[in-house]
Amino acid sequence: MKLKTMILKSGFWYAVFFLIVGCASEENSEPITFEEREVSRMSLLIPSDSSHEVGAPSEIQAVRGGFLVYDYGVKKIFKLDSEGNTLLSFGSSGRGPGEYQDVLCFWEFDEGYWVFDYSSAKFVEYDRKGNWLEDHPITFDGFPDSPTRVEVINPEQFVIGSGGKEGSLLTLVDMQTQDIRHFGGSVGEYAGYNPREARKAILSGQIPAGSQNEVLLGSNQSGIFSLQQTTALLEKYARDGELIWQRSIKVPAIEDLFDRLFEENRRRINRDDFLLEFIHARRMATNEGGVAILLNTLENQPVTVVWVTDDGQDGTIVSFPEIDNDLLGLTFTISADGSYIYFSDALDGELYRAEWPV
């Protein structure tokens, strides 16, 4: 990593350009202006050689009074304040009640915390002191075997990508009534991922059918955010599934990304190696002010986050040249009050912070 010193101030510069959006719905396809900023200094909260309790930070989520971090080494969830001090730790690994195997994401609500256990297909609920309250198994028909994203929008409902079922992009599930609602327009037809068919598609210059409907998900009090991974189309929906707006985030940092992915994946097919995903972004984070997206930038590009305001009217592109662009282990979140951005690097075991310049 480049970050080896403790620096507390952020520096950034400004530029403005226009991006004309081409969307599926003319009614909602307004152009968006992106302002560009660079954050050149950061604060290293937890160095890799630290004696801090958190040694292998992976998933990270801003909450009131700080943020949650999942440590995949000790299999615990920590709540830290804005300076990285531990306020609370909870959870344990296992297959029993109140335990989890693989944590994919978590959320804070008034009553406490919810954790999604990827391997056990369940939500684990804790109170605000970290005491286990209840397990919520996911039992509805059609839940995918390997969900890439799940977003709990309140203790009764969650959203997942529908993969194109019934021509939809997203599925809203009511955990109390088991009601299921599909909404949003799919990018392609419903198809499971087939490695052999994926290779054939790539060699013919096409995105594999099983990847076309992949999404990133997030939410706040005003709605649900979805990023179509193969089109870079960001959408906001009301909680009843009604489309509010659409915006393209295909900014210059990822303009030629898929051309490079096709080239690299063809080389990987020839040497029988694993394939890279056709995705425009790695992570999404939200607060009441809007939505932030960590782009899937190439190695010669800086780590870049796109911010779109809650009303979809304004955007900012924020680059972080001081962070090594190794996105495989990088996660991020924006503080609830919009003051800071936090990054965790699971590969190097570091956690750092910068002033959020938006």
Side-chain angles (χ1 to χ4, degrees):
M1 299 293 296
K2 297 178 183 177
L3 295 170
K4 297 299 177 188
T5 58
M6 304 290 279
I7 307 173
L8 297 179
K9 292 185 179 179
S10 294
F12 37 84
W13 52 269
Y14 308 86
V16 178
F17 65 92
F18 290 90
L19 180 67
I20 304 300
V21 181
C23 300
S25 170
E26 292 297 327
E27 182 180 352
N28 295 290
S29 58
E30 299 176 3
I32 183 170
T33 301
F34 283 95
E35 186 175 334
E36 187 168 339
R37 302 182 181 183
E38 181 182 284
V39 175
S40 58
R41 297 182 180 182
M42 306 192 69
S43 172
L44 185 58
L45 295 182
I46 301 179
S48 58
D49 57 356
S50 170
S51 59
H52 198 284
E53 294 173 276
V54 178
S58 54
E59 300 301 323
I60 184 171
Q61 174 65 48
V63 296
R64 287 168 289 182
F67 54 96
L68 300 178
V69 178
Y70 175 62
D71 187 315
Y72 73 88
V74 298
K75 306 292 186 182
K76 293 186 74 68
I77 298 167
F78 293 84
K79 182 176 181 180
L80 308 181
D81 66 15
S82 62
E83 300 296 328
N85 301 307
T86 302
L87 302 175
L88 177 70
S89 65
F90 60 95
S92 59
S93 178
R95 298 175 182 271
E99 298 175 331
Y100 45 73
Q101 298 180 69
D102 295 291
V103 172
L104 184 63
C105 37
F106 32 59
W107 305 265
E108 179 189 47
F109 298 105
D110 290 340
E111 300 82 4
Y113 307 103
W114 281 55
V115 176
F116 175 56
D117 181 358
Y118 174 90
S119 295
S120 300
K122 70 176 181 179
F123 299 108
V124 186
E125 182 182 3
Y126 302 89
D127 67 16
R128 299 200 66 81
K129 295 182 178 180
N131 300 308
W132 172 66
L133 294 177
E134 187 177 356
D135 284 0
H136 302 272
I138 301 172
T139 58
F140 86 92
D141 186 33
F143 188 77
D145 293 332
S146 301
T148 54
R149 287 289 102 185
V150 176
E151 178 67 14
V152 176
I153 61 176
N154 58 55
E156 287 79 39
Q157 296 176 304
F158 67 89
V159 178
I160 61 170
S162 63
K165 287 184 179 179
E166 301 181 15
S168 67
L169 190 69
L170 305 171
T171 300
L172 176 65
V173 180
D174 189 304
M175 288 180 275
Q176 302 297 321
T177 66
Q178 294 295 300
D179 287 342
I180 298 172
R181 177 186 301 172
H182 300 297
F183 64 99
S186 65
V187 179
E189 295 182 359
Y190 175 75
Y193 187 80
N194 182 307
R196 183 176 180 181
E197 292 299 318
R199 285 170 166 75
K200 288 174 59 178
I202 291 169
L203 292 174
S204 63
Q206 298 178 340
I207 296 173
S211 301
Q212 291 179 11
N213 294 300
E214 286 294 318
V215 293
L216 281 180
L217 295 171
S219 66
N220 61 17
Q221 291 298 315
S222 66
I224 301 165
F225 298 94
S226 165
L227 177 71
Q228 298 176 8
Q229 284 282 32
T230 55
T231 66
L233 186 63
L234 177 66
E235 298 178 314
K236 182 179 180 181
Y237 295 89
R239 294 197 172 194
D240 62 2
E242 180 183 358
L243 179 65
I244 299 175
W245 51 253
Q246 297 173 315
R247 301 290 184 266
S248 172
I249 64 160
K250 193 174 285 186
V251 297
I254 52 172
E255 206 163 30
D256 301 322
L257 174 63
F258 275 29
D259 291 337
R260 294 284 300 276
L261 288 175
F262 271 114
E263 293 175 6
E264 176 60 25
N265 276 330
R266 290 187 185 108
R267 287 193 288 266
R268 288 169 177 258
I269 290 172
N270 290 334
R271 62 176 185 259
D272 197 26
D273 201 351
F274 72 93
L275 300 179
L276 300 178
E277 297 177 282
F278 284 93
I279 56 174
H280 280 103
R282 289 284 177 178
R283 297 279 175 166
M284 177 184 289
T286 61
N287 60 24
E288 297 310 309
V291 55
I293 298 162
L294 176 63
L295 299 180
N296 186 25
T297 47
L298 299 169
E299 290 183 359
N300 62 341
Q301 297 275 358
V303 170
T304 303
V305 175
V306 166
W307 169 262
V308 178
T309 55
D310 193 60
D311 59 8
Q313 296 302 306
D314 299 295
T316 307
I317 302 168
V318 186
S319 59
F320 299 85
E322 291 302 307
I323 305 177
D324 284 346
N325 192 359
D326 184 359
L327 295 176
L328 290 178
L330 199 65
T331 60
F332 86 113
T333 192
I334 307 288
S335 63
D337 64 1
S339 298
Y340 297 110
I341 182 170
Y342 300 92
F343 290 94
S344 67
D345 189 326
L347 299 181
D348 285 353
E350 295 182 326
L351 197 152
Y352 34 102
R353 180 192 72 186
E355 294 177 13
W356 180 236
V358 177

